[in-house]
Amino acid sequence: MIHLEEIRKSYFMGKNALEILKGVSLDIHKNEYVALMGPSGSGKSTLMNILGCLDTPTGGKYVLNGQDVSKMDDNSLAEVRNKTIGFVFQQFNLLPRLTALENVALPLVYAGISKKIRQEKALHVLDMVNLTQRSHHKPNELSGGQSQRVAIARALVNDPALILADEPTGNLDTKTSYEIMSIFGDIHSRGNTVVLVTHEEDIANHSKRIVRLRDGIIESDRPTERMSNAV
Ligand code: ADP
Ligand code: ADP
């Protein structure tokens, strides 16, 4: 699903280049569940932006679903993004004037899908995150956990193969964080590939594989160690 080969990313400030990713090679197969960890500044967001086709690397190769996306122009990248990837953010990023249902259905408006089908699909994914009963509420009437569930439903509504989540529990208390992680577990069980960034070990432990970045390179990459009392 994801093939990264010697990915490099530099930012240029005047004459100076600052290299943030220094040759990252990584393969993630379909239906893997990966947590990306690492200290602040290690390049996690930069790598997620590349994985999400929001940005292109300055060196190396990125093949997503068999397509080389490393040198695509912005329009082609946007197309790949809309078809293949669902995003979840720390800040939920919901539109405040729209109901939960309307927020979830929004990606389908851009895809030119009829209103009836949009409603059906949006209700279906809201049901997947157990939020059907809040579908007509606006973001300011929802708790943090409910808001994040709406955001997850929105990420799922296009049926993307890959879900990318950047610190999805960063604004949530412990109990709510675990509820959200259980939903990511469900999504993974249904066949999605999930990659999430977190700096909390407890959150990363819900995944199956932990990749650690440090100073722009992969420091370690191993299966998640389950505590002996875990199911
Ligand atoms: P992390 O997500 O692991 O905290 P980031 O990928 O956000 O790391 O950032 C890595 C480094 O890249 C940081 O030092 C940050 O200041 C720098 N950086 C990120 N984006 C830009 C940019 N657009 N221009 C210049 N430097 C940037
Ligand atoms: P799956 O990955 O199969 O969807 P989860 O990751 O949601 O399952 O984990 C199943 C249960 O095990 C959850 O209740 C989760 O909190 C718990 N769990 C997972 N990893 C650990 C761990 N390292 N320590 C303690 N509990 C864990």
Side-chain angles (χ1 to χ4, degrees):
M1 162 118 240
I2 289 172
H3 173 71
L4 298 178
E5 211 173 294
E6 282 293 309
I7 291 291
R8 293 176 180 274
K9 179 71 182 181
S10 299
Y11 292 111
F12 298 94
M13 278 168 285
K15 277 191 204 164
N16 301 319
L18 183 63
E19 192 172 56
I20 304 302
L21 297 178
K22 302 170 181 170
V24 171
S25 299
L26 179 68
D27 282 283
I28 297 176
H29 296 112
K30 191 174 169 348
N31 198 213
E32 278 205 81
Y33 183 1
V34 179
L36 184 59
M37 300 194 76
S40 175
S42 57
K44 302 182 298 294
S45 299
T46 303
L47 183 58
M48 286 293 268
N49 286 342
I50 291 173
L51 288 177
C53 299
L54 294 161
D55 203 355
T56 47
T58 39
K61 189 166 154 184
Y62 176 18
V63 181
L64 173 63
N65 257 350
Q67 257 188 316
D68 188 342
V69 294
S70 18
K71 287 169 194 80
M72 272 188 185
D73 64 41
D74 289 351
N75 287 335
S76 314
L77 279 180
E79 205 175 298
V80 171
R81 239 178 5 242
N82 294 335
K83 266 203 219 133
T84 319
I85 306 172
F87 294 94
V88 179
F89 308 94
Q90 181 173 355
Q91 318 285 354
F92 322 134
N93 294 3
L94 301 176
L95 293 179
R97 300 174 73 108
L98 301 186
T99 65
L101 184 71
E102 289 164 341
N103 268 285
V104 171
L106 202 55
L108 302 174
V109 174
Y110 302 133
I113 289 168
S114 78
K115 184 163 186 183
K116 182 165 174 287
I117 304 288
R118 291 202 304 261
Q119 293 251 349
E120 277 174 25
K121 288 189 181 236
L123 281 171
H124 175 68
V125 287
L126 278 168
D127 184 43
M128 281 165 61
V129 299
N130 301 320
L131 216 60
T132 318
Q133 76 288 4
R134 310 293 281 173
S135 46
H136 296 292
H137 289 76
K138 290 188 177 164
N140 68 3
E141 301 163 320
L142 301 173
S143 68
Q146 289 172 342
S147 297
Q148 192 58 302
R149 284 193 272 155
V150 173
I152 293 171
R154 180 185 55 190
L156 291 171
V157 77
N158 264 332
D159 200 18
L162 175 63
I163 298 289
L164 295 178
D166 198 345
E167 297 275 7
T169 60
N171 274 341
L172 304 174
D173 61 54
T174 304
K175 180 169 171 286
T176 310
S177 295
Y178 285 159
E179 284 164 18
I180 293 299
M181 292 316 293
S182 141
I183 288 174
F184 281 110
D186 293 346
I187 292 170
H188 167 243
S189 304
R190 267 191 293 264
N192 277 103
T193 309
V194 179
V195 180
L196 69 90
V197 166
T198 181
H199 55 254
E200 292 177 73
E201 299 285 344
D202 286 351
I203 296 298
N205 281 338
H206 287 251
S207 75
K208 306 285 185 198
R209 173 181 173 192
I210 302 182
V211 174
R212 289 174 205 272
L213 277 184
R214 179 177 291 271
D215 299 332
I217 57 167
I218 292 178
E219 177 188 53
S220 73
D221 180 353
R222 45 177 100 95
T224 305
E225 285 170 32
R226 294 284 162 145
M227 275 159 51
S228 52
N229 62 352
V231 184

